[in-house]
Amino acid sequence: MPDVQKHFLNKLYIQYLPTRLSRLLTPTSSSPSPPSPAVFSKTVIGMYSQTLGHNLDVAVLLAYLKNPGLTTIHTQKPIDVVFFDQVLSGDEMNAFLKKCLANVTVGCTVVSLDNADGEKPPEADNDERMYDNVVLGGTFDRLHAGHKILLSEAVLRCRRKLTVGVTDESMLKSKCLTELIGACHQRMSDVLEFLQDIDPNIEYDVVPISDPFGPTIVEPSFEMIVVSDETLRGGLKINEIRTEKSMKPLVVHSVNLLESANKQEQEEEDKVSSGNLRLRVLGTRLSKPEPRPNLPRLPYLIGLTGGIASGKSSVGRRLEEMGAGLIDCDSLAHTLYKQGEPLHGKLVEFFGSSILDAEGEIDRKVLGSLVFGDKAKLSALNNMVWPALWERTKTEISKLHACGKNIIVVEAAVLRQAGWEKNCHEVWVSIIPPAEAVRRLKDRNNLDEDAAWARVSAQPPNVEQIIGATTVLSTLWTYDFTQRQVSRAWRHLHEYLEKEGFSQGNKL
């Protein structure tokens, strides 16, 4: 792996040749009968296990293991470089490129590595049986080594057709950072591409599922289901239902979970998981910001938003501590309601004097009760408040820039709804699950359950908030973890601004 990584590859295909390369180059009719492909199960698992900690997209090709008579290796992506784990002659390596690879780039290079350890015989699996119709299911977000092992185990045991159920959005509510899970159609596409890479010779049916059972309790032709230790009980439950329906129970093949060899955060699980990978993107740059030709390059404006009780204020304060200018639009809005402000008179004229307290100031609670549940009145209020608030925000931006702040964070819960993201160079979003927001509101605002849920439900969902966001953060875990996310985001921001030349010689 270290030798391979020196070449900065995006994808690594591994073609295991247990019968040696010479047999692939010059197949003979007298070759002994091949073993069941399942005999290579532990070898394939071992290969994926050894790739943990290496930032490579790896696919162990299985078609040749299932049919040693094949002489051509097919891959979805063209091959730029071929590694051999033994010293070969130039003629042997060139012959392999010409005879055995169907998809190579012009100028494909070869590298011969001296594998001093030699080839070890595969450790046989206990169950070597093959089946015509195999099924399995999962979320398959950010396809990782654990997923690839599960899918490979199914392919090694499948002769004709493999069905894969991919959970749709309705089944993701209990997942960690569900907002960062890819769309179902994209996850299905990733699974299918991987499967067609490792064995293009069997039929695949990748389908969305909206319940834990999918087609397993209605399709009588299925013979085997592949599960993980974690989902074994679900496999057994499927057989209970099939038995009740007078359908033949499935052979259940369970695969051990893969332990994580390189936990990067203490909040991560001990197993290799998509949840860990989603945790690792918090505070990173998920995408390049959209160009904003209408804005000057400096000050560089970050729109910081998020749902109620999402912790965006604590994120903003931390950014301020690290050197950013900070504008709290919620606090700024309070000043617009004061007597003498133009907005004060507009609101009294529209809503009447009943919104005033004894001192003639606007009672925000009374005003809130008037517009809550009345879309027309709420829209009228927003149309008066939002333009005035942005004008005041621009004034504060100018003041902070004049004081030497070249990066300014505009913290606003209504950033998206008011359309202010177009006035910022990029958007950062702080998210927490709705249930956690409700818990915080009950503790912080002394609200009952129904009132707290009403407030949370009145806002755009997290999945909408993060659309187009450059950076996503979450305050769900410990204070220290939040601070590490913000520090990471600040560091990545500076690297981006320096690379793109935003500094213009100024201190950021």
Side-chain angles (χ1 to χ4, degrees), residues 5-294:
Q5 283 202 300
K6 293 175 184 176
H7 291 257
F8 303 103
L9 305 177
N10 292 321
K11 186 167 188 103
L12 174 65
Y13 293 109
I14 298 176
Q15 178 60 73
Y16 176 48
L17 301 170
T19 56
R20 300 188 64 81
L21 178 62
S22 58
R23 291 191 182 176
L24 182 61
L25 291 171
T26 55
T28 63
S29 58
S30 60
S31 299
S33 299
S36 164
V39 75
F40 302 111
S41 173
K42 292 183 179 179
T43 301
V44 172
I45 291 172
M47 290 179 180
Y48 280 116
S49 300
Q50 291 177 57
T51 66
L52 295 177
H54 299 280
N55 190 25
L56 279 175
D57 181 9
V58 177
V60 180
L61 305 180
L62 305 178
Y64 178 80
L65 296 180
K66 296 176 69 176
N67 183 0
L70 296 174
T71 58
T72 304
I73 298 170
H74 296 270
T75 58
Q76 297 283 317
K77 292 181 169 56
I79 305 301
D80 298 302
V81 57
V82 178
F83 299 90
F84 297 94
D85 70 346
Q86 55 186 285
V87 177
L88 299 172
S89 69
D91 289 342
E92 287 177 308
M93 291 190 288
N94 288 329
F96 179 83
L97 260 63
K98 291 179 180 179
K99 294 183 178 180
C100 304
L101 291 179
N103 191 6
V104 296
T105 59
V106 176
C108 176
T109 58
V110 292
V111 178
S112 184
L113 306 173
D114 186 4
N115 180 18
D117 294 335
E119 183 178 300
K120 297 181 177 65
E123 182 182 352
D125 193 89
N126 293 330
D127 185 0
E128 300 178 11
R129 289 172 293 174
M130 298 279 288
Y131 301 87
D132 284 335
N133 290 285
V134 179
V135 65
L136 76 158
T139 302
F140 300 108
D141 180 48
R142 302 170 192 267
L143 213 61
H144 55 67
H147 293 141
K148 293 174 181 179
I149 288 173
L150 200 69
L151 293 166
S152 297
E153 285 286 272
V155 169
L156 283 172
R157 289 163 174 77
C158 182
R159 276 190 295 258
R160 189 178 66 82
K161 182 179 180 180
L162 175 61
T163 301
V164 183
V166 178
T167 54
D168 67 14
E169 285 73 11
S170 66
M171 292 188 65
L172 305 179
K173 295 178 182 178
S174 64
K175 295 285 185 180
C176 164
L177 295 170
T178 179
E179 302 87 355
L180 298 178
I181 295 177
C184 184
H185 69 85
Q186 183 59 55
R187 290 180 279 123
M188 291 170 59
S189 175
D190 292 344
V191 167
L192 183 59
E193 180 181 325
F194 173 76
L195 291 172
Q196 289 175 335
D197 250 341
I198 63 174
D199 186 1
N201 301 311
I202 59 176
E203 179 185 352
Y204 296 110
D205 188 17
V206 182
V207 298
I209 57 174
S210 55
D211 63 68
F213 309 118
T216 59
I217 57 174
V218 295
E219 178 52 61
S221 67
F222 291 149
E223 299 168 293
M224 170 188 252
I225 184 169
V226 177
V227 299
S228 69
D229 289 346
E230 211 170 41
T231 57
L232 176 59
R233 291 178 62 185
L236 299 178
K237 181 64 178 177
I238 285 170
N239 274 344
E240 287 182 24
I241 297 173
R242 287 178 69 91
T243 301
E244 291 171 1
K245 293 185 172 186
S246 301
M247 297 167 64
K248 187 177 179 180
L250 305 175
V251 175
V252 180
H253 178 70
S254 180
V255 181
N256 294 332
L257 293 171
L258 200 57
E259 291 187 8
S260 180
N262 60 330
K263 288 177 64 175
Q264 296 181 12
E265 300 286 354
Q266 64 186 35
E267 290 77 11
E268 292 182 9
E269 299 175 290
D270 292 329
K271 65 177 182 177
V272 173
S273 72
S274 300
N276 287 353
L277 298 180
R278 293 192 293 274
L279 269 175
R280 293 175 189 176
V281 304
L282 294 174
T284 66
R285 297 186 72 75
L286 301 178
S287 61
K288 189 173 182 178
E290 291 184 19
R292 294 282 187 245
N294 59 307

